[in-house]
């Protein structure tokens, strides 16, 4: 939901994100909606959404292995993380899940199939690994299929570490 109470839903089957304003019964497409694909006006299995105060959306475009940014009323999005095919290089993602943006505009992505969380600065061509990336086991510096992300008021990052059945807390500099 955004600050105005609008609800956003990622529809991974229709490859679109819809917004419902308070009291509306028909949502409107705010990202994707042009069939499944990898063009800048398309999504393929969108899953997680982060919406900021300006109603800019960051969408995990899971099967395109990228995160897309859609400004309010945009007809096309821009790739802000990944988008270089599926892989484990710092320019790539593999089935991104949770996405969140901090107060500095840095994008954090749960890179689920690479068992890591990546941070991408605005305009960066590559990300940095901030959590995980050390194999998929149960040590504190390891993740197994991270999914959701959240920050607390002190800037700590919380990661749902699905296959390890735990929530991990990490201080972020």
């Amino acid at each position: 939901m955004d600050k105005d109470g609008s609800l956003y839903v990622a529809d991974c089957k229709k490859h679109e994100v819809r917004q419902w304003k308070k009291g509306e019964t028909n949502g409107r497409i705010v990202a994707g909606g042009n069939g499944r694909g990898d063009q800048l006006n398309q999504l393929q299995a969108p899953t997680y959404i982060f919406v900021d105060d300006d109603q800019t959306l960051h969408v995990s475009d899971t099967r395109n292995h990228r995160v897309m940014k859609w400004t309010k009323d945009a007809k096309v999005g821009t790739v802000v993380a990944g988008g270089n095919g599926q892989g484990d290089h710092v320019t790539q993602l593999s089935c991104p899940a949770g996405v969140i943006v901090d107060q500095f505009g840095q994008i954090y992505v749960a890179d689920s199939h690479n068992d890591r969380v990546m941070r991408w600065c605005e305009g960066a061509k590559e990300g940095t690994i901030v959590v995980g990336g050390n194999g998929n086991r149960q040590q504190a510096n390891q993740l197994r299929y991270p999914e959701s992300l959240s920050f607390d008021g002190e800037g700590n990052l919380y990661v749902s570490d699905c296959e390890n059945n735990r929530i991990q807390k990490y201080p972020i500099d």
Side-chain angles (χ1 to χ4, degrees), residues 74-131:
K75 300 299 180 207
V76 297
T78 57
V79 178
V80 294
N84 296 301
Q86 182 177 15
D88 63 1
H89 190 266
V90 292
T91 62
Q92 297 175 306
L93 298 169
S94 183
C95 294
V99 60
I100 192 167
V101 180
D102 70 11
Q103 71 267 23
F104 305 110
Q106 299 177 111
I107 304 157
Y108 290 77
V109 182
D111 190 10
S112 63
H113 287 191
N114 284 323
D115 304 306
R116 64 189 184 184
V117 175
M118 301 282 295
R119 177 174 49 213
W120 297 71
C121 296
E122 187 83 27
K125 299 297 180 201
E126 62 182 47
T128 57
I129 301 170
V130 294
V131 176

Side-chain angles (χ1 to χ4, degrees), residues 117 130-132 138-144 146 149-152 154-161 164 166-173:
V117 175
V130 294
V131 176
Q138 297 178 348
Q139 300 302 314
N141 69 345
Q142 296 175 315
L143 299 169
R144 288 181 66 194
L149 304 174
S150 184
F151 282 113
D152 66 16
E154 297 172 3
N156 295 304
L157 178 65
Y158 291 81
V159 180
S160 65
D161 188 9
N164 282 323
R166 64 186 181 187
I167 304 294
Q168 293 281 83
K169 176 183 171 182
Y170 300 96
I172 299 295
D173 297 328

Side-chain angles (χ1 to χ4, degrees), residues 1-2 4-11 14 16-30 49 55 57:
M1 294 186 82
D2 66 21
D4 298 326
S6 293
L7 176 68
Y8 296 80
V9 176
D11 189 329
K14 291 184 179 178
E16 65 189 27
V17 177
R18 286 187 175 263
Q19 174 198 43
W20 280 267
K21 293 184 178 182
K22 281 185 178 181
E24 288 183 339
T25 56
N26 295 319
R28 70 180 185 100
I29 296 172
V30 292
I49 306 164
Q55 293 180 336
L57 302 175

